[in-house]
């Protein structure tokens, strides 16, 4: 009963959607495809307008077969039935992130963006297919186990999502492989020092005295102006943000108080967005480089390893569609409040 109440009241999001028990299998295929093409998620069938309407027994089989009958290629989906106190039946479908681009049997591909399932145009679909040529690297296994993780960080996140055990928490966020091994994402998010396996998984913040870096004897790097921020991904972001906050150039400007007060030349929300995106969307399979934040007197430059994903055309920033190179890392960081993932 408590689980049903939570499903009724839970806000629809990137990873959760409700459907009426009267939904057709063909319409149910749309959010399943969209989530499989993004970061996965859950679809609950049998709730409409904040109330349980249930799924009739004669419709259960057809809805359960939706991933097989109305989606190509068949997507990985786990279906659970919940029975309410008044004998209504809900279907809970858990969708795993797809390793290939999925489409409905009508030939339409969708992508989950916020609480919407957006139909992809030809060019967007082509680029998504290009990037889905292999499974996301953050889902591959590492030579480590749960006991190697930082117990404090694991416990805090486990409590925040209401998981009963660490293993349950990791499984709920796809941080374990199908054979039960810890994934790259799980290690980077919760290890005390993930750099033992991924030495370049750090954020390096550099501060220059001039608008040009210079080289050799003419290098303009401040003494002490080179800091490497290590630890888990949340710890890296927090540590780098503190360094940037202290180093970002400021000017004296008239404030709402009527006094001249220091104001950063780059607003905090702007550089913080750049820092978070760089860490969450970098290519962790590229072991030769790190995220770099360079602070100059007139600007901040942020660079991360890996090419632009296929759905991102840097020459047309307003046309960029959603794409998460590291869907498992993004999901956990969204839960932690580090990223909002609204497809902005």
């Amino acid at each position: 009963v408590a689980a049903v109440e939570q499903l009724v009241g839970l806000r629809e999001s990137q990873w959760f959607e409700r459907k009426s028990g009267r939904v057709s299998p063909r319409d149910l295929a749309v959010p399943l495809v969209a989530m499989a093409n993004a970061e996965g998620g859950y679809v609950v069938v049998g709730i409409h307008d904040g109330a349980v309407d249930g799924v009739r027994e004669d419709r259960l089989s057809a809805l359960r077969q939706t991933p097989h009958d109305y989606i190509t290629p068949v997507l990985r989906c786990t279906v659970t039935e919940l029975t309410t106190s008044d004998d209504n039946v809900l279907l809970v479908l858990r969708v795993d992130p797809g390793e290939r681009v999925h489409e409905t049997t009508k030939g339409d591909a969708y992508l989950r963006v916020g609480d919407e399932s957006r139909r992809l145009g030809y060019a967007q679909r082509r680029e998504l297919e290009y990037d889905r040529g292999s499974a996301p690297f953050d889902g591959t296994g590492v030579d480590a186990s749960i006991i190697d993780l930082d117990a404090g960080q694991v416990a805090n996140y486990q409590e925040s999502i209401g998981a009963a055990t660490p293993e349950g928490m990791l499984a709920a966020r796809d941080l374990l492989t199908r054979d039960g091994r810890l994934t790259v994402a799980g290690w980077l998010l919760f290890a005390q020092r993930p750099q033992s396996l991924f030495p370049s998984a750090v954020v390096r913040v550099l501060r220059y005295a001039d608008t040009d870096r210079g080289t050799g004897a003419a290098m303009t790097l401040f003494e002490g102006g080179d800091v490497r921020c290590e630890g888990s991904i949340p710890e890296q972001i927090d540590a780098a943000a503190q360094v940037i906050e202290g180093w970002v150039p400021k000017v004296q400007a008239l404030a709402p108080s009527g006094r001249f007060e220091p104001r950063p030349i780059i607003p905090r929300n702007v550089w913080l967005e750049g820092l978070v995106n760089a860490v969450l969307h970098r290519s962790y399979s590229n072991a030769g480089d790190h995220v770099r934040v360079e602070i100059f007197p007139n600007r901040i430059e942020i660079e991360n390893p890996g090419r632009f994903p296929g759905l991102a055309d840097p020459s047309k920033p307003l046309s960029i569609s959603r794409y998460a190179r590291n869907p498992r890392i993004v999901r956990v960081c969204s839960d932690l409040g580090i990223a909002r993932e609204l497809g902005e």
Side-chain angles (χ1 to χ4, degrees):
V1 176
V4 173
E5 292 177 351
Q6 289 183 353
L7 292 174
V8 171
L10 192 62
R11 181 178 61 86
E12 292 191 341
S13 67
Q14 174 72 30
W15 304 279
F16 180 70
E17 182 164 336
R18 284 180 290 264
K19 289 293 183 183
S20 166
R22 299 185 299 274
V23 68
S24 69
R26 190 176 298 278
D27 289 339
L28 176 60
V30 172
L32 298 181
V33 165
M35 289 181 177
N37 286 337
E39 290 111 60
Y42 291 82
V43 178
V44 177
V45 182
I47 301 176
H48 180 63
D49 282 344
V52 175
D53 62 357
V55 181
R56 295 200 318 263
E57 187 174 352
D58 61 342
R59 305 192 71 245
L60 287 172
S61 179
L63 292 173
R64 292 177 71 104
Q65 292 297 318
T66 298
H68 298 267
D69 297 343
Y70 293 91
I71 299 173
T72 57
V74 174
L75 58 79
R76 298 200 306 273
C77 184
T78 304
V79 185
T80 305
E81 293 186 14
L82 293 179
T83 303
T84 68
S85 57
D86 51 359
D87 293 330
N88 279 313
V89 176
L90 304 183
L91 283 183
V92 181
L93 298 95
R94 170 180 166 171
V95 183
D96 292 333
E99 297 178 2
R100 296 170 56 192
V101 175
H102 294 272
E103 64 178 19
T104 66
T105 50
K106 293 176 62 177
D108 295 327
Y110 295 83
L111 191 68
R112 191 72 176 176
V113 180
D115 59 359
E116 299 179 1
S117 298
R118 294 186 184 175
R119 185 174 177 273
L120 297 179
Y122 171 76
Q124 294 171 319
R125 174 180 174 147
R126 182 187 60 191
E127 296 298 345
L128 183 59
E129 289 173 342
Y130 178 77
D131 277 295
R132 281 294 169 91
S134 59
F137 179 72
D138 73 342
T140 57
V142 296
D143 187 17
S145 64
I146 297 176
I147 61 173
D148 298 316
L149 300 180
D150 185 306
Q153 295 187 67
V154 169
N156 289 337
Y157 184 66
Q158 176 187 332
E159 181 180 358
S160 72
I161 67 170
T165 63
E167 292 81 2
M169 175 272 284
L170 294 169
R173 291 298 181 262
D174 297 311
L175 301 178
L176 297 176
T177 63
R178 288 186 223 177
D179 57 0
R181 292 185 300 146
L182 189 68
T183 63
V184 169
W187 180 254
L188 291 171
L189 287 163
F190 297 113
Q192 185 170 12
R193 189 174 180 275
Q195 291 72 32
S196 61
L197 294 181
F198 297 91
S200 63
V202 301
V203 178
R204 188 178 178 188
V205 185
L206 303 108
R207 183 188 181 200
Y208 295 92
D210 200 352
T211 56
D212 185 26
R213 296 176 185 84
T215 57
M219 181 171 285
T220 63
L221 188 68
F222 272 107
E223 181 182 1
D226 184 354
V227 174
R228 291 175 181 264
C229 303
E230 298 189 349
S232 66
I233 283 178
E235 290 175 336
Q236 289 179 46
I237 293 174
D238 286 344
Q242 291 183 31
V243 175
I244 298 170
E245 183 80 59
W247 285 356
V248 64
K250 299 177 178 65
V251 296
Q252 286 285 339
L254 187 63
S257 64
R259 301 187 179 190
F260 283 89
E261 299 176 358
R263 174 176 60 81
I265 65 168
I266 307 294
R268 175 184 170 84
N269 64 308
V270 175
W271 60 254
L272 185 59
E273 178 84 359
L275 170 65
V276 169
N277 282 341
V279 175
L280 267 55
H281 299 297
R282 66 154 288 179
S283 174
Y284 283 98
S285 61
N286 185 338
D289 203 358
H290 46 259
V291 173
R292 189 160 43 252
V293 181
E294 297 179 300
I295 302 174
F296 298 88
N298 64 343
R299 70 190 188 278
I300 297 176
E301 294 187 10
I302 303 175
E303 184 176 353
N304 63 351
R307 64 177 180 82
F308 278 101
L311 291 180
D313 181 354
S315 67
K316 300 177 181 177
L318 296 181
S319 69
I320 291 177
S321 297
R322 176 188 181 82
Y323 180 81
R325 174 179 276 122
N326 305 302
R328 294 162 182 82
I329 291 174
V330 170
R331 173 71 189 274
V332 172
C333 287
S334 180
D335 289 341
L336 293 171
I338 295 173
R340 290 176 297 178
E341 288 309 291
L342 298 178
E344 297 169 300

